[in-house]
């Protein structure tokens, strides 16, 4: 992790402390008259006012809605003491909501027909009574692992499973139901390890913690091996699969993916790759601790993955990291950015410090907060699109602390606080411009789903207070980074703020004058359970220019797929006015006011193209991709036989229909291993992924080397999908659950297309 740190902490003599405090008292007395009391007892936003008042040992909140009822908030085990009852009371509210999330059983209509399932863990929200890997893991990483380690371990264990069918046996993290039948279309289940790593440093005397370390190691090695086999793409050096958290296809992907998720399975997402990097780093760490020989291999894989992430996702013209890019066949850049992926990247240390600062500063924001995606997509209801998600804001706060971006620290803290105050709960999400829990916009109204006390939003508020303001780190150290713009809110006319916890008290003391824009830890005094940290201005912090992008700006709609027409020895592609043409992952024809056409030489090797529309300086998401080349169809019973017309590399894929589940959920994405045995060569294998969908589709390709004149034998073996996990024996929401594992698709022709430029004496076809 790359952090710019101030000078090392040192102890200050008591006499010096007394002088400093006296000077601070004089300074703050002079400043008090100009302090704005807004945000202390109340805040007003777009005509709505939230108010907090002390109520004995607790608080009483009146949320922002006109008809809202007061909410009583009792005192909690952790207590902040600042100049703002609003800040302190909402910290208590988050703890109250965390307690409400602690349950002894969970339920969801898709499991055991909605009957309670014993689990001493956390439910996901008031409207979400189950445990999902992604939600739990991000919440645990933000705060739960620190505050409720035993219950967090129990909840994480619930998302581990062995196999009830298939091989090899082992311990695997569950990828929940999702797009096209779940894993490997969605492949971010490794987020589980982001949560688990915060539970590995428990005292050795804790026997359950020791067992959990062994369980983490087993799940880590088995899950990493499985993902390496089925999800990793050797040509790009990246892991395939959908973006983490942004898993509602057309909310953040091209609208045509609402009915075609094959692209998601074959594309590459920033967030998912960063999570795999973090899992590999944890694998290296645990392997070294255990003296396991895999440590060096995990280190090598992590280093190589980091290099490819940095190379392939950075977009210099925007100064941002893209949310996802195209497929290995057509690795186009996308005008798509998301705050969670960026924040995870910054925290990982993969991005060079100068790029990390630039990218976070370039990510747009409104007064209300930071959108989870940019640009917004047209004609899509509010949910991930046109929205603020507090847990993502909490990760952005972490990233801002990493880059010492005072303006963003202030911005994310205020957004998290304002949302909870106005709603009276730590909501799942908010509309972007208004930060309202619902906005009427006809068919686009939303957020379309929004739950009170959403677990990761609760964790986000707790993290904002404990880490974002008081600087409490995972290792127990204290590293506050407080923008001077927040001093009036937090300190008022006082000198210190306090975080009280069982067995520990952290006191933060402000300096006599607010120099610069960011105050960081300086001298430290320890007295029993009390640790007093004296803030000092951060010297030499880089200047961060704010983003000039409109956070609420919309991208134009994606165009139709390009038509590739044979014209003698060329393919002609008509390019409408205002559209970009990409060929084989590279921009070939830039948008112009006039329609034009491009020509490609007819080749035997595969050539792929897509179009984007450009309007007001923003590029749309890509059209569907079209590829041409000398493709051969191979039919018949399996195993099939094929004689390659020439040596080279070939992409092999199959036509299929997978109607065993709906396109938006399920656990039965078909996963087959294609086995290719060509004369004179060792066996080659690769994964064919076939997601749910009503229409005839084309699977992901397997690229193989074929020698000259070789005859190849092509066979299929069953791979693995989430229906094979014993965890899903209770699944009643579709196929592959209580009736047993299912890994099927109706498979048609196998297609072979050369992926190099070697000529093949065969007629090309689109």
């Amino acid at each position: 992790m790359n952090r710019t740190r101030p000078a090392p902490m040192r102890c200050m003599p008591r006499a010096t402390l007394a002088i400093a405090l006296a000077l601070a008292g004089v300074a703050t007395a002079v400043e008090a008259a100009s302090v704005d009391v807004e945000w202390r007892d109340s805040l007003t936003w777009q005509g709505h006012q939230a108010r907090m008042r002390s109520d004995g040992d607790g608080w009483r909140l009146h949320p922002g809605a006109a008809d809202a009822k007061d909410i009583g908030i009792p005192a909690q085990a952790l207590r902040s003491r600042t100049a703002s009852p609003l800040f302190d009371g909402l910290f208590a509210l988050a703890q109250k909501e965390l307690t409400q999330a602690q349950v002894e059983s969970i339920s969801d209509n898709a499991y055991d027909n909605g009957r309670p399932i014993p689990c001493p863990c956390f439910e996901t929200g008031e409207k979400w009574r189950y445990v999902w890997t992604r939600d739990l893991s991000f919440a645990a990483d933000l705060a739960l692992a620190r505050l409720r380690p035993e219950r967090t371990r129990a909840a994480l264990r619930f998302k581990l499973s062995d196999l009830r069918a298939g091989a090899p046996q082992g311990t695997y993290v569950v990828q929940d139901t999702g797009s096209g039948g779940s894993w490997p279309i969605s492949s971010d289940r490794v987020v589980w390890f982001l949560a688990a790593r915060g539970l590995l440093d428990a005292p050795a005397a804790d026997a359950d913690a020791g067992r959990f370390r062994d369980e983490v190691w087993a799940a880590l090695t088995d899950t990493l091996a499985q993902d390496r086999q089925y999800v990793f793409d050797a040509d790009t050096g990246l892991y395939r699969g959908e973006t983490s958290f942004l898993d509602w296809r057309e909310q953040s992907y091209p609208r045509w993916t609402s009915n075609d998720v094959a692209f998601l399975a074959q594309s590459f997402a920033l967030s998912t790759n960063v999570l795999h990097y973090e899992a590999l780093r944890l694998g290296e760490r645990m392997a070294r601790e255990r003296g396991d020989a895999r440590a060096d291999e995990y280190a090598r894989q992590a280093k190589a993955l980091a290099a490819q992430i940095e190379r392939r996702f950075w977009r210099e013209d925007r100064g941002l990291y893209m949310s996802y890019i195209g497929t290995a066949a057509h690795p186009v850049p996308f005008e798509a950015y998301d705050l969670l992926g960026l924040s995870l990247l910054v925290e990982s240390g993969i991005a060079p410090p100068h790029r990390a600062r630039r990218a976070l500063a370039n990510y747009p924001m409104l007064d209300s907060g930071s959108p989870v995606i940019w640009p917004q997509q047209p004609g899509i209801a509010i949910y991930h699109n046109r929205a603020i998600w507090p847990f993502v804001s909490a990760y952005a706060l972490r990233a801002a602390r990493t880059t010492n971006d005072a303006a963003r620290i202030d911005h994310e803290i205020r957004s998290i606080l304002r949302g909870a105050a106005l709603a009276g709960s730590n909501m799942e999400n908010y509309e972007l411009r208004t930060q309202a829990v619902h906005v009427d916009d006809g068919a686009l109204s939303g957020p379309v789903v929004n739950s009170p006390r959403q677990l990761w939003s609760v964790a986000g508020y707790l993290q904002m207070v404990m880490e974002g303001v008081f600087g409490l780190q995972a290792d127990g150290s204290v590293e506050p980074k407080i923008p001077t713009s927040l001093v009036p809110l937090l300190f008022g006319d006082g000198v210190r703020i306090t975080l009280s916890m069982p067995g520990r008290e952290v006191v933060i003391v402000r300096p006599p004058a607010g120099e610069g824009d960011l105050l960081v830890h300086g001298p430290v005094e320890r007295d029993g359970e009390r640790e007093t940290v004296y803030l000092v201005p951060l010297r030499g912090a880089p200047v961060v220019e704010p983003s000039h992008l409109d956070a609420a700006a919309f991208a134009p709609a994606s165009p139709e797929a390009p038509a590739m027409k044979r014209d003698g020895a060329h393919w002609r592609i008509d390019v409408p006015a205002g559209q970009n043409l990409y060929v084989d992952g590279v921009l070939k024809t830039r948008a112009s006011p006039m329609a034009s056409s491009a020509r490609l030489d007819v080749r035997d090797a595969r050539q792929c193209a897509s179009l984007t529309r450009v309007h007001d300086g923003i590029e749309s998401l890509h059209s569907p991709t079209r590829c041409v080349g000398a493709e051969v169809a191979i039919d018949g019973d399996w195993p099939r036989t094929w004689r390659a017309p020439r040596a080279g590399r070939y992409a092999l894929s199959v036509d299929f229909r997978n109607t065993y589940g709906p396109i938006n959920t399920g656990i039965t994405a078909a996963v087959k291993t294609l086995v290719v045995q060509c004369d004179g060569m060792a066996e080659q294998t690769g994964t064919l992924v076939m997601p749910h969908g009503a229409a005839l589709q084309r699977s992901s390709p397997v690229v193989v080397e074929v020698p000259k004149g070789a005859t190849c034998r092509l066979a299929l073996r069953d791979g693995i999908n989430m229906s094979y996990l014993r965890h899903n024996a209770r699944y009643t929401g579709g196929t592959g659950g209580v009736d047993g594992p299912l890994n099927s698709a109706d498979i048609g022709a196998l297609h072979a297309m050369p992926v190099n430029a070697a000529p093949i004496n065969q007629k090309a076809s689109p």
Side-chain angles (χ1 to χ4, degrees):
M1 186 179 296
N2 295 325
R3 287 184 181 271
T4 304
R5 296 182 181 271
M9 296 186 289
R10 60 190 185 279
C11 292
M12 180 182 284
R14 290 183 181 274
T16 308
L17 290 176
I19 295 171
L21 290 173
L23 290 173
V26 172
T28 53
V30 173
E31 295 167 2
S34 62
V35 170
D36 185 356
V37 296
E38 175 79 350
W39 291 79
R40 294 206 199 153
D41 300 294
S42 66
L43 64 83
T44 302
W45 173 253
Q46 297 193 356
H48 300 284
Q49 185 182 60
R51 302 186 301 276
M52 183 79 75
R53 62 180 174 85
S54 297
D55 184 20
D57 197 34
W59 294 266
R60 185 158 291 275
L61 170 66
H62 183 80
D67 58 350
K69 297 180 180 179
D70 284 5
I71 299 170
I73 308 170
Q76 301 291 319
L78 279 63
R79 181 156 189 161
S80 63
R81 292 179 175 85
T82 70
S84 171
L86 192 63
F87 180 92
D88 298 338
L90 291 172
F91 183 43
L93 174 64
Q95 294 175 71
K96 173 186 174 182
E97 294 190 326
L98 179 58
T99 299
Q100 290 175 303
Q102 297 177 187
V103 296
E104 298 309 309
S105 65
I106 56 175
S107 62
D108 184 81
N109 288 335
Y111 290 89
D112 279 356
N113 293 307
R115 291 188 294 268
I117 299 171
C119 182
C121 47
F122 303 95
E123 62 183 16
T124 300
E126 184 178 291
K127 296 182 179 180
W128 305 103
R129 298 298 174 87
Y130 199 65
V131 176
W132 282 275
T133 302
R134 183 184 299 125
D135 301 59
L136 168 66
S137 298
F138 282 125
D141 181 53
L142 287 169
L144 270 55
R146 175 184 299 169
L147 296 177
R148 302 288 190 274
E150 296 85 3
R151 187 171 287 268
T152 302
R153 286 198 293 264
L156 287 171
R157 281 183 172 121
F158 181 73
K159 304 307 297 190
L160 294 181
S161 179
D162 61 356
L163 298 179
R164 54 178 173 156
Q169 272 298 333
T171 303
Y172 300 97
V173 178
V174 177
Q175 183 81 44
D176 290 307
T177 56
S179 298
S182 186
W183 185 92
I185 290 88
S186 298
S187 57
D188 68 334
R189 59 179 175 162
V190 289
V191 67
W192 191 96
F193 301 106
L194 202 67
R197 70 181 183 184
L199 295 161
L200 296 179
D201 296 323
D206 186 339
D208 185 61
R211 286 192 295 272
F212 185 72
R213 279 192 288 271
D214 291 340
E215 291 165 341
V216 172
W217 173 244
L220 183 60
T221 53
D222 293 342
T223 303
L224 284 176
Q226 194 176 72
D227 277 5
R228 198 75 178 179
Q229 178 179 354
Y230 291 105
V231 182
F232 183 71
D233 180 79
D235 284 345
T236 61
L238 297 171
Y239 289 83
R240 295 181 293 267
E242 193 174 22
T243 46
S244 183
F245 149 66
L246 301 170
D247 62 338
W248 188 346
R249 304 168 317 288
E250 68 269 29
Q251 284 282 329
S252 52
Y253 281 91
R255 193 164 186 173
W256 48 266
T257 62
S258 63
N259 295 311
D260 179 2
V261 299
F263 170 78
L264 276 61
Q266 298 176 45
S267 62
F268 306 95
L270 174 64
S271 52
T272 299
N273 275 276
V274 174
L275 291 172
H276 276 89
Y277 168 81
E278 294 283 24
L280 288 166
R281 291 294 305 273
L282 181 61
E284 177 194 358
R285 168 190 155 184
M286 295 190 76
R288 295 203 189 285
E289 292 170 352
R290 292 167 173 263
D292 191 286
R294 283 170 283 193
D296 288 343
E297 179 61 16
Y298 287 145
R300 184 195 66 77
Q301 290 179 9
K303 182 179 179 181
L305 178 58
Q308 292 303 317
I309 290 171
E310 179 62 25
R311 173 191 168 198
R312 294 180 182 275
F313 288 97
W314 175 251
R315 186 156 171 165
E316 177 63 29
D317 60 336
R318 285 294 189 197
L320 286 166
Y321 288 89
M322 292 174 286
S323 183
Y324 54 88
I325 60 174
T327 66
H330 190 47
V332 285
F334 272 76
E335 181 87 292
Y337 314 95
D338 81 88
L339 187 58
L340 179 62
L342 173 59
S343 300
L344 292 172
L345 176 74
V346 170
E347 274 292 285
S348 73
I350 292 172
H354 68 284
R355 277 191 179 175
R357 286 192 297 270
R358 182 183 171 197
L360 192 62
N362 281 341
Y363 195 90
M365 55 187 178
L366 295 177
D367 289 344
S368 54
S370 301
V372 295
I373 65 169
W374 189 86
Q376 311 309 311
Q377 295 304 313
I380 302 297
I382 304 161
Y383 187 59
H384 298 139
N385 196 55
R386 298 169 57 188
I388 297 166
W389 287 63
F391 96 91
V392 177
S393 299
Y395 274 101
L397 171 58
R398 274 189 174 175
R401 283 173 46 82
T402 300
T403 62
N404 294 319
D405 187 337
R408 189 134 224 148
I409 293 172
D410 176 291
H411 180 260
E412 304 302 352
I413 287 175
R414 289 183 185 273
S415 181
I416 294 169
L417 191 156
R418 184 195 300 111
L422 293 170
S425 182
N426 291 280
M427 301 296 294
E428 184 175 357
N429 51 16
Y430 306 102
E431 193 274 334
L432 175 57
R433 286 188 179 275
T434 63
Q435 206 169 358
V437 298
H438 187 81
V439 168
D440 288 328
D441 189 13
L444 308 183
S445 298
V448 294
V449 181
N450 202 354
S451 176
R453 62 172 178 81
Q454 191 77 358
L455 186 64
W456 53 17
S457 301
V458 171
Y461 196 96
L462 295 169
Q463 181 267 351
M464 180 270 283
V465 174
M466 299 174 67
E467 181 181 352
V469 170
F470 286 92
L472 192 62
Q473 302 298 289
D475 62 2
S477 62
V478 180
E479 296 185 20
K481 295 184 177 182
I482 299 179
T484 52
S485 56
L486 286 178
V487 167
L489 186 161
L490 296 170
F491 292 87
D493 57 0
V495 174
R496 60 182 60 206
I497 58 176
T498 303
L499 175 63
S500 298
M501 302 166 284
R504 188 177 187 188
E505 185 174 79
V506 175
V507 180
I508 308 295
V509 180
R510 57 168 293 187
E515 300 177 38
D517 62 356
L518 191 62
L519 303 174
V520 300
H521 68 86
V524 177
E525 183 184 60
R526 294 180 176 85
D527 183 6
E529 294 180 346
R530 179 179 299 158
E531 183 174 352
T532 304
V533 180
Y534 295 85
L535 298 176
V536 297
L538 178 65
R539 307 291 184 183
V543 176
V544 179
E545 293 293 331
S547 175
H548 300 292
L549 299 173
D550 177 5
F554 284 88
S558 300
E560 296 295 318
M564 305 178 76
K565 301 174 182 177
R566 182 71 180 264
D567 183 11
H570 300 92
W571 295 103
R572 192 187 79 213
I573 307 174
D574 293 330
V575 183
Q579 295 189 19
N580 287 331
L581 170 65
Y582 289 82
V583 175
D584 293 339
V586 177
L587 179 63
K588 180 175 179 63
T589 302
R590 191 174 296 277
S592 69
M594 303 293 292
S596 62
S597 64
R599 297 203 310 173
L600 305 179
D601 292 339
V602 170
R603 303 185 323 186
D604 296 324
R606 178 183 61 194
Q607 298 180 84
C608 297
S610 63
L611 293 166
T612 62
R613 185 177 280 115
V614 180
H615 183 69
D616 288 342
I618 299 177
E619 188 177 24
S620 75
L621 303 179
H622 282 258
S623 72
T625 300
R626 290 290 180 264
C627 298
V628 291
E631 186 173 272
V632 177
I634 306 157
D635 289 301
D637 295 333
W638 296 94
R640 298 175 181 177
T641 302
W642 166 60
R643 183 178 177 83
R646 189 172 292 273
R649 301 180 78 221
Y650 289 80
L652 307 178
S653 58
V654 296
D655 292 331
F656 75 94
R657 279 190 178 89
N658 182 348
T659 56
Y660 294 100
I663 200 162
N664 65 322
T665 189
I667 55 173
T668 50
V671 182
K672 304 292 183 180
T673 298
L674 179 65
V675 183
V676 182
Q677 180 66 69
C678 298
D679 295 340
M681 293 193 70
E683 180 180 279
Q684 301 176 73
T685 62
T687 300
L688 302 175
V689 178
M690 293 167 276
H692 295 169
L696 184 70
Q697 302 182 70
R698 184 71 67 87
S699 75
S700 58
V702 173
V703 177
V704 298
E705 296 277 353
V706 179
K708 182 178 180 180
T711 296
C712 300
R713 183 177 180 271
L714 310 167
L716 292 179
R717 296 176 188 159
D718 279 343
I720 291 285
N721 67 15
M722 288 296 102
S723 76
Y724 285 40
L725 270 60
R726 194 175 307 278
H727 175 92
N728 282 321
R730 60 169 63 95
Y731 179 62
T732 54
T735 57
V738 294
D739 294 330
L742 178 66
N743 186 4
S744 296
D746 298 324
I747 297 175
L750 184 145
H751 300 269
M753 183 181 287
V755 293
N756 58 20
I760 298 175
N761 296 321
Q762 190 171 332
K763 183 179 179 181
S765 61

